[in-house]
Amino acid sequence: MREAWRWFGPEDPVSLEDLRQTGATDVVSALYKIPAGIPWPVEEIQSFKKLIEETSGGKSPLKWSVVESIPVHEHIKLGKAGSDRYITAFIESMKNLAACDISIICYNFMPVIDATRTDLEYRLPSGARALRFDQRLYSVFDLFILQRDGARTDYSPQEIEQAQAAFQRMSRQEKNSLAGNITEGMMGKMTDAYDTDEFRQALAQYKDIDKTAYRKNLYRFLERVLPEAERLNVKLAIHPDDPPRDLFGLPRIICTASDLEALFTELPSPSNGVTLCVGTFGSRPDNDLPEMAKQFGPRIHFAHLRGVKRDLDEPRSFYEAEHLESDIDMIAVIRNLLLEEHSRKSRLDDAPLEITVRPDHGHQMMDDLNKKINPGYSAIGRLRGLAEIRGVIRTLEKTGV
Ligand code: DNO
């Protein structure tokens, strides 16, 4: 298994020097400044790669091995006439990355919003802070701040009443920060940041696109991209919709094991794969993560090894737990990923022999509580996550899985 770390570039408060000290060997990154729909030039990929990989003065080597992510232009998602040129741009970025020996590409097909949380500083009993999605706060935003057309049909009368009461109790500042958390998104997102009006307009564009139509837009995109990826031996790894269920009436199509089955049945290319984001899929009780690691093994080109704990009285709400202390059996997931690696050695396909994994969304803790950090991407919490995962990997490797 290759241990990786997400890095946002020279402005990331966690430097490459810090990153090396975590023991990670691989870097997950992207040319975040290039807007969706513009091809990534070879020269820019090369100079960013050089920045990451240079080892002057005997520094431990690092390899930029995974791109997370090339953004998919909203016109492709909307299936707009004229979106072909944006697909061409995506393919060109992919070719240029392959020319620089970067062959694992994570992407997502979430409409309008990337990973969505209501609280970026949820206090844990330990004093550390975590990311959280709270269903009640989400409904306050949807019903009473955004006042989305048709939203009421998504809730029971009791839920509406509770949301209204919560809305009335909230201060203006709490309402603004809730709206900002949802519409501005998190660091590393692949969609735009919006204010509330822009957000309403962005949602409105999807009002006539149901899941079936939206799947067709994904398939249409992949039908062009996959043959090129195969030729280049690039592996595409779709990231699930986070959280993996319907939000804001948008078509969300990568949420469950059966969504993945449908995708791989439709397009069986070996380049068509998944980012096994354990925390995302695992925030639904009906996704069995150890089983998914087994079932989709050959298609897992990349994995995010974090977990969540769902609220007992409201399973749609969750917070991001310690990597090994969540509702998901992380040890069983890692065991199945290691078994997949074993079977790759005896298979004749061209899947990479090692799966690249990274810790994700660490807690803000200790010294990081007093620093400016990117929520979910502070150093110490992720270091803790990586160290715990590494302990599991080494133990399972040593004891024969
Ligand atoms: C948030 C991340 C997302 C993810 C992209 C993948 O922290 O999980 O930004 O990287 O959605 O395309």
Side-chain angles (χ1 to χ4, degrees):
M1 236 168 228
R2 299 196 66 92
E3 294 166 16
W5 186 272
R6 192 177 196 183
W7 185 63
F8 293 112
E11 281 109 61
D12 191 327
V14 184
S15 65
L16 284 173
E17 284 64 38
D18 294 339
L19 193 168
R20 269 196 183 84
Q21 294 172 39
T22 69
T25 51
D26 289 57
V27 174
V28 174
S29 198
L31 300 185
Y32 291 105
K33 288 192 182 140
I34 302 187
I38 310 278
W40 294 6
V42 147
E43 305 71 38
E44 288 198 39
I45 299 170
Q46 254 160 0
S47 71
F48 195 60
K49 184 176 153 86
K50 204 165 148 216
L51 182 72
I52 294 171
E53 299 190 357
E54 67 94 19
T55 51
S56 60
K59 293 186 278 195
S60 341
L62 290 172
K63 178 162 169 41
W64 179 16
S65 48
V66 179
V67 167
E68 181 173 355
S69 307
I70 304 181
V72 177
H73 195 280
E74 214 60 22
H75 283 194
I76 302 176
K77 299 182 202 166
L78 286 161
K80 282 202 176 178
S83 63
D84 272 8
R85 68 191 170 105
Y86 294 122
I87 304 183
T88 306
F90 189 100
I91 294 172
E92 195 174 330
S93 298
M94 194 170 77
K95 280 187 186 154
N96 293 347
L97 286 161
C100 298
D101 191 30
I102 301 170
S103 58
I104 301 172
I105 297 173
C106 167
Y107 71 103
N108 74 71
F109 213 74
M110 285 180 248
V112 184
I113 35 171
D114 204 305
T116 298
R117 298 290 181 269
T118 55
D119 192 344
L120 309 182
E121 301 184 318
Y122 176 66
R123 272 168 205 272
L124 298 171
S126 67
R129 292 183 191 176
L131 305 179
R132 173 169 164 84
F133 183 91
D134 184 303
Q135 171 63 20
R136 188 167 304 165
L137 287 175
Y138 161 75
S139 57
V140 167
F141 173 75
D142 192 21
L143 288 162
F144 297 103
I145 300 178
L146 186 65
Q147 300 177 12
R148 176 172 62 89
D149 280 348
R152 283 176 172 258
T153 57
D154 289 356
Y155 302 90
S156 68
Q158 198 199 2
E159 284 173 326
I160 297 177
E161 214 174 283
Q162 285 175 343
Q164 186 162 25
F167 175 71
Q168 279 158 358
R169 282 195 304 271
M170 283 166 79
S171 66
R172 176 181 291 267
Q173 198 199 341
E174 284 170 328
K175 289 173 190 164
N176 286 343
S177 92
L178 173 62
N181 289 346
I182 295 177
T183 60
E184 286 162 26
M186 291 193 294
M187 188 66 192
K189 65 183 186 302
M190 292 295 133
T191 47
D192 289 332
Y194 314 90
D195 63 25
T196 310
D197 277 340
E198 292 163 343
F199 190 61
R200 249 182 232 116
Q201 286 160 23
L203 292 179
Q205 295 204 276
Y206 283 87
K207 75 178 185 344
D208 297 324
I209 304 182
D210 64 9
K211 285 188 195 182
T212 310
Y214 197 57
R215 276 205 179 91
K216 286 204 181 116
N217 295 347
L218 170 63
Y219 296 162
R220 196 176 145 267
F221 163 69
L222 287 176
E223 270 157 15
R224 278 202 54 207
V225 174
L226 287 169
E228 295 290 341
E230 258 184 73
R231 211 173 45 74
L232 298 163
N233 197 19
V234 161
K235 303 294 182 194
L236 289 171
I238 196 164
H239 188 286
D241 297 359
D242 182 4
R245 59 188 181 78
D246 293 346
L247 293 183
F248 302 116
L250 289 166
R252 312 228 329 151
I253 56 169
I254 305 293
C255 299
T256 62
S258 46
D259 288 340
L260 290 180
E261 271 166 34
L263 169 66
F264 300 137
T265 306
E266 180 76 20
L267 296 159
S269 159
S271 286
N272 190 13
V274 62
T275 296
L276 189 75
C277 183
V278 175
T280 300
F281 282 120
S283 51
R284 270 181 89 113
D286 56 348
N287 279 334
D288 176 342
L289 266 295
E291 188 50 40
M292 286 173 79
K294 204 191 287 173
Q295 180 185 356
F296 299 108
R299 305 254 175 209
I300 299 173
H301 300 316
F302 179 41
H304 292 169
L305 299 182
R306 70 170 168 90
V308 300
K309 257 195 189 294
R310 296 180 293 269
D311 290 11
L312 292 176
D313 58 346
E314 171 47 273
R316 291 172 296 180
S317 297
F318 60 84
Y319 72 90
E320 305 210 9
E322 288 80 6
H323 283 56
L324 299 186
E325 308 298 334
S326 73
D327 289 335
I328 303 143
D329 185 347
M330 188 63 80
I331 296 174
V333 171
I334 295 176
R335 174 180 288 118
N336 288 344
L337 293 179
L338 287 169
L339 286 168
E340 166 61 20
E341 284 187 339
H342 283 299
S343 69
R344 285 185 189 186
K345 284 184 200 138
S346 53
R347 279 205 313 259
L348 293 173
D349 60 25
D350 54 11
L353 292 180
E354 286 180 293
I355 300 174
T356 306
V357 302
R358 70 166 178 87
D360 196 12
H361 298 174
H363 292 164
Q364 187 178 3
M365 58 195 288
M366 301 165 91
D367 278 8
D368 280 340
L369 286 168
N370 307 314
K371 287 187 183 156
K372 190 172 159 14
I373 54 120
N374 290 316
Y377 292 98
S378 52
I380 303 174
R382 277 188 298 163
L383 173 63
R384 175 180 173 182
L386 178 61
E388 292 178 347
I389 287 164
R390 180 181 294 141
V392 174
I393 297 172
R394 295 286 186 285
T395 307
L396 291 173
E397 281 172 347
K398 189 120 192 167
T399 55
V401 189

